[in-house]
Amino acid sequence: MEEHVTKKVGAITFSIVSPDQIKRMGVAKIVTPELYDMGGYPVDGGLMDLRLGAIDPGIRCRTCGGKLKECLGHFGYIEIARPVMHVKYVPMIEVLLRSSCQECGKVLLNEENQQKHKNNILKKAKDVKKCPWCRASQEKDKVENPTSFYVGKKRIFPTEIRARLLKIADEDCRLLGIDPEAARPDWGVLTLLLVPPVTARPSITLDTGERSEDDLTHKLGDIVRSNQR
């Protein structure tokens, strides 16, 4: 008699998807907002690319070879022309910028103060005026809703923000309460965007015989057009 063992899930961890993970998950780079050619066939590099799955009878997915009821779909990705702030992680990024040096990227507390305030490092580090490591003076980092960042009175943009976050070493991420293996802070500034499989946003055929696309496909098309511009 076969014995069945029941296992319980211990925990679920949510984190930011890294650019490397997006590249590994994505089977096609989406480069055009065009969906179909003149013959009604999905355009390569478009949002209905057949590498992202099959949603019409008689058509096979070009990634796994499965038909309509066999293929679950596959992700694509959009390479963003300029880095974009992930609005969900703006509060986290603000705290990290204020707690790390604007020049060298290290936590703004020396080893003695790290030990002294090990349960309150973020609160103590964000008000330091001079880096204890490179001696650089620190201007105040602040954010004005929704995603406008300033150093003193000067506005800084996502490219500069990402460059600063890249300077924060993994050991300093851990000091600031972030597991760098689950979520590096620079991943909060998007350079790649996952595109859901076509099976998650299938098109439908109206009574008139016209094809109508999912709202998500329309919104992704807007993103691709903005990206091209």
Side-chain angles (χ1 to χ4, degrees), residues 26-211:
V27 297
K29 181 179 177 180
I30 307 305
V31 295
T32 175
E34 301 299 325
L35 303 180
Y36 306 100
D37 61 20
M38 295 296 291
Y41 197 77
V43 173
D44 284 353
L47 289 163
M48 305 307 287
D49 191 311
L50 285 177
R51 289 172 290 179
L52 305 186
I55 57 170
D56 290 324
I59 291 180
R60 288 185 178 273
C61 169
R62 280 177 50 200
T63 296
C64 67
K67 291 184 179 179
L68 177 61
K69 293 184 179 180
E70 301 166 344
C71 173
L72 295 177
H74 310 274
F75 284 94
Y77 67 92
I78 297 169
E79 201 165 272
I80 301 173
R82 293 181 182 175
V84 175
M85 302 301 301
H86 191 315
V87 69
K88 178 71 176 176
Y89 295 101
V90 166
M92 177 194 78
I93 291 171
E94 180 190 15
V95 170
L96 292 174
L97 291 180
R98 291 184 63 183
S99 305
S100 59
C101 177
Q102 293 162 3
E103 295 297 326
C104 69
K106 293 185 71 66
V107 175
L108 291 169
L109 291 177
N110 58 28
E111 290 180 358
E112 181 182 344
N113 283 323
Q114 287 175 17
Q115 290 298 319
K116 185 178 178 181
H117 304 292
K118 61 182 179 181
N119 295 322
N120 212 7
I121 287 178
L122 280 172
K123 186 176 180 180
K124 294 295 180 181
K126 68 181 184 179
D127 295 321
V128 173
K129 305 296 184 187
K130 182 175 284 190
C131 176
W133 308 100
C134 71
R135 311 307 297 171
S137 296
Q138 305 295 305
E139 291 191 75
K140 186 176 181 180
D141 286 290
K142 63 180 179 179
V143 61
E144 294 183 3
N145 289 334
T147 59
S148 298
F149 281 79
Y150 291 84
V151 176
K153 294 182 179 180
K154 179 190 173 187
R155 185 175 177 187
I156 56 173
F157 294 91
T159 303
E160 300 164 275
I161 294 167
R162 185 169 181 270
R164 276 186 58 184
L165 294 172
L166 280 166
K167 291 180 184 178
I168 303 175
D170 286 354
E171 56 267 26
D172 286 330
C173 285
R174 294 186 182 95
L175 283 173
L176 296 170
I178 293 176
D179 179 359
E181 293 181 5
R184 277 279 315 171
D186 48 281
W187 298 350
V189 184
L190 301 177
T191 55
L192 296 169
L193 182 68
L194 270 178
V195 173
V198 293
T199 48
R201 45 185 178 85
S203 55
I204 60 170
T205 303
L206 303 175
D207 293 338
T208 59
E210 293 181 23
R211 186 186 286 267

